[in-house]
């Protein structure tokens, strides 16, 4: 029997985010179950609060991932030479723990940059998992002025240095969209690169008629009532107020509609909702989201037309697709918009009241389309090629 490659998954975002659940923990479990690789996960927690929160979530993370998950206390990314300091901490920790691995899967450019220290010491290859454009994320939302000018210079210098570190050491790169791959081409050159969109677990996300009815009954949603779903944070670029305006427009046209808001920022969401009727705001674990999405008739993914969104492919979008939901969106996330248009579940957010729920057969058809493209199983061979030990 051929021994499976051992992958050390490195991230620097703690453990409390649902994004980590879907993009890291579920990733490790899925590809272990598919026989692609064995995993160990190390997450840097770069503040005291992040470390304490990671410790609080550690056992659940291990249960979700089905592998060893470890927390390493790091220094803040804003510190001078933090990549080198945290890189040395990582290399020392791996040595002390006796962790054996064949490849380093580094999520984000910061994790890839700090992993270069371990890669040089161990002579193991880094797979750079590029999820977005760090420069755009830091600059795009700043107002024009002196602060933006200075930040452009500082962040640009940091970003270029980081990318050079990665380019010199990493052996392959994963880009989450074609737009991101093309934007990074001038830094990455002709080295191995694959485009793998954000995926969700088909074990956790699927369309089920009985589940839909039971969750709607629990939420007290009538059979003839449209249920809109928002899943995400209250961060400005996710455009929650715009989704409320869409909901208000439906109400103004006397449509029977209810709005379900699922967010970790419940109090902030309630403040924005105000005194609107027929709105439910709650928080949920990743494992609970499938029920709410099945109950829904459409979901929101409206974004600002900014470079940071142009390169993105939100995991939430994959979850919506696997549940067969129409997605009320714009074209600010091009790869996702193109996929939704091909799948037939794209709803233009500027289309006014032109919104009808899909039949059960239509939802199953949409879900099949996404299962063939944005699930771990659909992407298994691409990852197997990256993890393969030469």
């Amino acid at each position: 029997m051929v021994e499976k490659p051992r992958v050390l998954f490195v991230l620097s975002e703690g453990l409390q985010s649902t994004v980590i659940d879907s993009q890291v923990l579920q990733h490790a479990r899925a590809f272990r179950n598919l026989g692609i690789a064995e995993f160990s996960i190390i997450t840097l927690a770069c503040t005291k609060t992040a470390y304490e929160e990671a410790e609080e979530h550690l056992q659940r993370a291990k249960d979700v991932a089905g592998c060893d998950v470890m927390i390493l206390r790091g220094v803040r990314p804003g510190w001078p030479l933090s990549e080198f300091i945290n890189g040395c901490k990582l290399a020392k920790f791996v040595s002390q723990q006796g962790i054996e691995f064949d490849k380093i899967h580094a999520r984000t450019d910061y994790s890839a940059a700090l992993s270069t220290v371990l890669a040089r010491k161990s002579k193991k290859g880094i797979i750079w998992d590029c999820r977005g454009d760090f420069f755009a994320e830091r600059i795009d939302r700043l107002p024009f002025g002196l602060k933006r000018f200075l930040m452009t210079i500082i962040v640009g210098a940091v970003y270029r240095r980081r990318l050079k570190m990665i380019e010199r050491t990493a052996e392959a790169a994963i880009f989450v969209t074609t737009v991101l791959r093309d934007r990074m081409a001038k830094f990455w050159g002709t080295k191995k690169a694959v485009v793998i969109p954000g995926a969700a677990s088909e074990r956790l996300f699927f369309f089920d008629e009985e589940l839909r009815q039971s969750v709607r009954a629990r939420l007290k949603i009538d059979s003839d009532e449209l249920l809109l779903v928002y899943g995400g944070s209250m961060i400005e670029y996710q455009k929650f107020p715009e989704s409320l305006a869409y909901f208000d427009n439906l109400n103004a046209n006397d449509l029977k509609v209810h709005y379900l808001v699922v967010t970790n920022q419940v109090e902030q969401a309630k403040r924005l909702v105000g005194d609107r009727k027929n709105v439910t705001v709650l928080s949920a674990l990743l494992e609970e989201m499938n029920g709410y999405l099945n109950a829904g008739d459409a979901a929101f993914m409206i974004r600002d037309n900014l470079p940071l969104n142009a390169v993105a492919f939100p995991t939430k979008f994959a979850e919506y697709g696997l549940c067969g939901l129409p997605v009320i969106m714009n074209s600010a996330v091009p790869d996702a918009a193109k996929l939704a248009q091909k799948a037939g579940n794209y709803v233009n957010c500027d289309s006014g009241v032109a919104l009808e729920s899909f039949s059960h057969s239509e939802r199953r058809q949409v879900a099949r389309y996404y299962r063939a493209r944005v699930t771990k199983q659909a992407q298994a061979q691409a990852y197997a090629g990256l993890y393969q030990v030469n």
Side-chain angles (χ1 to χ4, degrees), residues 177-193:
T177 63
T178 56
V179 179
L180 183 59
R181 178 200 60 196
D182 295 344
R183 189 178 295 181
M184 293 295 168
K186 61 183 177 182
F187 300 104
W188 190 243
T190 59
K191 297 180 73 173
K192 184 175 182 179

Side-chain angles (χ1 to χ4, degrees), residues 237-371:
Y237 75 83
Q238 293 196 13
K239 312 298 282 182
F240 179 63
E242 279 72 7
S243 73
L244 286 172
Y246 191 99
F247 170 71
D248 291 341
N249 191 36
L250 293 180
N251 274 324
N253 284 274
D254 296 323
L255 292 178
K256 193 175 181 180
V257 59
H258 194 99
Y259 194 9
L260 174 62
V261 182
V262 187
T263 179
N264 289 334
Q265 297 166 295
V266 170
E267 293 307 315
Q268 186 177 347
K270 287 181 176 179
R271 286 195 297 272
L272 291 168
V273 168
D275 60 358
R276 289 177 174 86
K277 306 297 182 185
N278 298 324
V279 181
T280 301
V281 181
L282 51 80
S283 63
L285 296 172
L286 181 69
E287 301 93 301
E288 299 171 309
M289 281 302 301
N290 189 52
Y292 294 127
L293 297 182
N294 270 265
D297 295 294
F300 285 104
M301 199 182 80
I302 305 172
R303 296 291 189 268
D304 279 323
N305 283 292
L306 294 172
L308 71 93
N309 289 322
V311 301
F313 194 100
T315 304
K316 188 63 63 182
F317 174 75
E319 296 167 2
Y320 293 162
L322 291 175
C323 294
L325 273 174
V327 183
I328 303 165
M329 61 191 300
N330 56 8
S331 59
V333 185
D335 279 27
K338 289 174 185 176
L339 186 59
Q341 287 161 356
K342 290 177 181 177
N345 68 324
Y346 180 94
V347 178
N348 189 331
C349 65
D350 297 321
S351 61
V353 297
L355 176 65
E356 296 180 3
S357 61
F358 282 178
S359 68
H360 291 173
S361 62
E362 287 173 321
R363 287 189 68 160
R364 285 192 292 270
Q365 181 178 343
V366 169
R368 280 195 299 271
Y369 188 89
Y370 281 88
R371 272 202 307 276

Side-chain angles (χ1 to χ4, degrees), residues 35-187:
I36 301 298
E38 295 289 344
F39 290 84
S40 298
I41 299 172
I42 298 178
T43 183
L44 266 76
C46 297
T47 66
K48 182 175 181 289
T49 300
Y51 188 85
E52 290 172 350
E53 289 178 345
E55 282 192 315
E56 182 181 339
H57 290 84
L58 182 58
Q59 187 54 55
R60 179 180 176 276
K62 291 178 179 180
D63 294 341
V64 172
C67 68
D68 201 6
V69 181
M70 294 154 280
I71 311 165
L72 174 62
R73 181 71 160 90
V75 302
R76 291 176 181 271
W79 281 26
L81 301 177
S82 70
E83 298 99 332
F84 179 73
I85 296 169
N86 283 329
C88 290
K89 283 176 172 283
L90 174 66
K92 182 179 179 181
F93 183 79
V94 168
S95 177
Q96 289 174 337
Q97 297 295 317
I99 302 169
E100 296 184 351
F101 61 97
D102 301 302
K103 301 279 184 177
I104 303 167
H105 183 152
R107 173 186 154 81
T108 74
D109 59 278
Y110 185 77
S111 296
L114 69 88
S115 294
T116 59
V117 178
L118 177 60
R120 288 193 295 268
K121 287 180 178 291
S122 65
K123 295 185 170 35
K124 306 293 186 181
I126 296 174
I127 300 164
W128 173 31
D129 192 349
C130 185
R131 314 300 303 183
D133 184 336
F134 170 81
F135 180 81
E137 289 167 4
R138 294 299 181 275
I139 300 301
D140 277 1
R141 294 190 294 272
L142 292 176
F144 287 96
L146 180 60
K147 182 178 179 181
R148 179 169 178 141
F149 174 74
L150 294 174
M151 286 293 289
T152 298
I153 296 171
I154 296 167
V155 174
V158 169
Y159 197 35
R160 286 190 295 272
R161 174 174 57 80
R162 205 175 276 175
L163 292 177
K164 286 178 182 177
M165 292 171 66
I166 298 168
E167 193 277 332
R168 284 197 299 265
T169 310
E171 65 179 27
I174 300 166
F175 297 110
V176 75
T177 63
T178 56
V179 179
L180 183 59
R181 178 200 60 196
D182 295 344
R183 189 178 295 181
M184 293 295 168
K186 61 183 177 182
F187 300 104

